[in-house]
Amino acid sequence: MTDNQLSTATARFAGWVTRSEGKKFLQLRSDVPEPAIPLGKGGRDDWASLYIHIPFCRTLCPFCCFNRYLFDETQARRYFANLKKEVGFYVDRGFRFSDFYFGGGTPTVLMDELLDFIDFLKKNFKVRQISMETTQREINPEVIAALKKAGVNRLSIGVQSFDNDLLKAMGRLVGTGEDAIEKLKMAQGQFDTVNADFIFNFPTQTIDQFKKDVATFKERGIDQATFYPLMPSPHKKSRLERRFHKVDTSREKEFYDVILKELYQGGYKASTAWCFSRGNRLIDEYIIDYDDYIGVGAGSVGFLNGDFFVNTFSLGKYDEMIAGGKLPIVSWRRLSEREHLRYYMLTKLFGMSLDPEKFRQRFNGDVNRKLFWELSFFKMLGLVKQNKNITVTPKGMYTLCVMQKEFFAALNTLRESYIDGQI
Ligand SMILES: C[S@@+](CC[C@H](N)C(=O)[O-])C[C@H]1O[C@@H](n2cnc3c(N)ncnc32)[C@H](O)[C@@H]1O
Ligand code: SF4
């Protein structure tokens, strides 16, 4: 077996285990205890982050694996009002936050409501950091100035590819590759971090197209790029959407090797196994920076000390539950200690480093003992090494990329059933 074959086989095996583990997250209970969420920790704002999901877009990309709906202004205004109420429920329970991650959908789709919502956060919390997702279509000098003034530190613009033929094949209607370059240039330097999202392993995408995308990203001197391996999309209404229901992974490693060679070995820092930055930058992964997080909005999930919570994906139900004064949580699961340990290991190693001391504080034990089999496997194959921290080696990066993707793929199965059933 060549090194490359071994690396692919290892990643597939670890991915398969992760998907099986991820499926356990889906064995959810709908008898959500009342109140579902424990009390916040005495007003401390440094232990959990807040993820805010804005599920509206002006056009819907067929490949997209997130909970998103076609933008409707009246509905979106009602949604923002509900979001404030939902955050208020957490404040009433003693929660305080300082780091905020807006994801979507397209959070900037209705700027006046978004800015008003950020004001609301500032009135209630000491805001330290805000990360915001958007698309190139939303970006113009006024929007950039407004987001900057509101205190957004990290702006992430979905590009997917600069190649117009590929964008067309993707059914991505937010603008051309040239336009994306223009908008990135407009944003670059205006925020602590500007990130561009790309997708790889798309069915018609060639390695050459991808190499050009990576080269263009480097030439333009953008702070950060996140490369998402194509993941199955749960939406199946149109023929195009059905096409992304299953994903062929045979060329995936070839794409990933381009990223490793051009960026990782080209002086970029791996902030995660699929996010590469010039220097130290903020990242979008609230699951890595924080062990615990709350998700608000339709289709968000939360994780608190071993309990996994899922909000309703349905806009109608979201309205109803908030109007009834209830947290819109429709299912939950308490992880076993083993599941919790493995989830912790996955998220930290996906973020490239696991700190044994922090592990000890959370789990009251030694990481090499509690995760003996898992870490022995990783160490034996040279995927991680341990000095003070346990860090992922270049050899291990593709395995972590596949493991995270498989975990998300399992979550997509959940998304699919919740979107289909409007749960
Ligand atoms: C949920 S979107 C939100 C940001 C913005 N609406 C956009 O289109 O970029 C964030 C990123 O997720 C990635 N993404 C969406 N669907 C995906 C899929 N099926 N597989 C892999 N990545 C996906 C895209 O790179 C996208 O930029
Ligand atoms: S990729 Fe972005 S713009 Fe496209 S549907 Fe998904 S969230 Fe909306």
Side-chain angles (χ1 to χ4, degrees), residues 57 59-61 63-64 68 104-106 135 160 172 174:
C57 300
T59 49
L60 301 182
C61 310
F63 60 83
C64 179
R68 81 289 197 266
T106 310
T135 69
Q160 320 319 338
R172 174 105 173 149
V174 307

Side-chain angles (χ1 to χ4, degrees), residues 63-66 104-106 133-135 158 160 172 197 228-229 231:
F63 60 83
C64 179
C65 62
F66 294 87
T106 310
E133 287 182 350
T134 188
T135 69
Q160 320 319 338
R172 174 105 173 149
D197 283 342
Y228 290 89
M231 294 177 273

